[in-house]
Amino acid sequence: MSTMKPGQVFAAIATLVVGAAVVAGLWSIGSPSAQRQQRLDARRVADLIEIDVQVRAWQKRHDALPPDLATLAAQPGLRLTLTDPVDGSAYDYVADAGGRYRLCAMFATDTAETGGAASGWTHGRGRTCFERRIEAADAQGNAID
């Protein structure tokens, strides 16, 4: 059995500590690939939030939901992202009766596992649709059912 010098013992311990710290860091924040997927999903949510804001603004101006996203995005001076940042597939928008509409996208992560979702925008992996509703308003601007 060979004996290690004090410097070698210290180097071995330091190497183990650094290695453990790297493993713990990757475990707590996820791999670079997982972080990229989370950033892309955050961008998808940000795109949908902006679309939601513009749908509501359209409804306020026209007293109706926009017929489709292309019509909404065609407004002068408005720049909306209507497609997925990875594969370019279109986000889905469906207008229903009573001020209801749906916005859908494909997600790579599950916010139940990753946390950090914007309020009302939690999603699982795969296709997720967000049901939205614009409340009717009386003449004074108060919401009514």
Side-chain angles (χ1 to χ4, degrees):
M1 180 166 131
S2 71
T3 58
M4 295 177 71
K5 295 180 182 174
Q8 292 173 318
V9 171
F10 178 75
I13 291 172
T15 301
L16 288 173
V17 169
V18 169
V22 168
V23 169
L26 286 175
W27 180 77
S28 68
I29 63 172
S31 69
S33 174
Q35 289 178 355
R36 178 177 184 272
Q37 294 302 325
Q38 289 176 16
R39 283 192 309 274
L40 288 167
D41 279 353
R43 181 170 166 197
R44 290 175 181 106
V45 167
D47 291 346
L48 294 179
I49 288 172
E50 182 58 26
I51 292 168
D52 183 55
V53 166
Q54 294 305 323
V55 166
R56 291 172 183 280
W58 174 283
Q59 193 279 337
K60 192 171 188 176
R61 283 192 307 277
H62 299 281
D63 198 29
L65 292 172
D68 54 55
L69 291 181
T71 302
L72 181 66
Q75 298 175 92
L78 186 62
R79 292 180 48 109
L80 282 178
T81 301
L82 304 179
T83 58
D84 185 272
V86 175
D87 66 10
S89 62
Y91 294 131
D92 292 327
Y93 162 81
V94 177
D96 294 326
R100 289 182 174 87
Y101 57 99
R102 211 169 35 250
L103 294 170
C104 308
M106 291 291 290
F107 292 93
T109 64
D110 184 340
T111 54
E113 296 170 4
T114 62
S119 179
W121 297 91
T122 60
H123 57 80
R125 283 184 187 88
R127 180 178 163 83
T128 301
C129 293
F130 301 93
E131 303 289 333
R132 297 293 182 238
R133 179 175 181 217
I134 299 176
E135 300 287 332
D138 64 17
Q140 290 80 35
N142 301 313
I144 58 174
D145 288 324

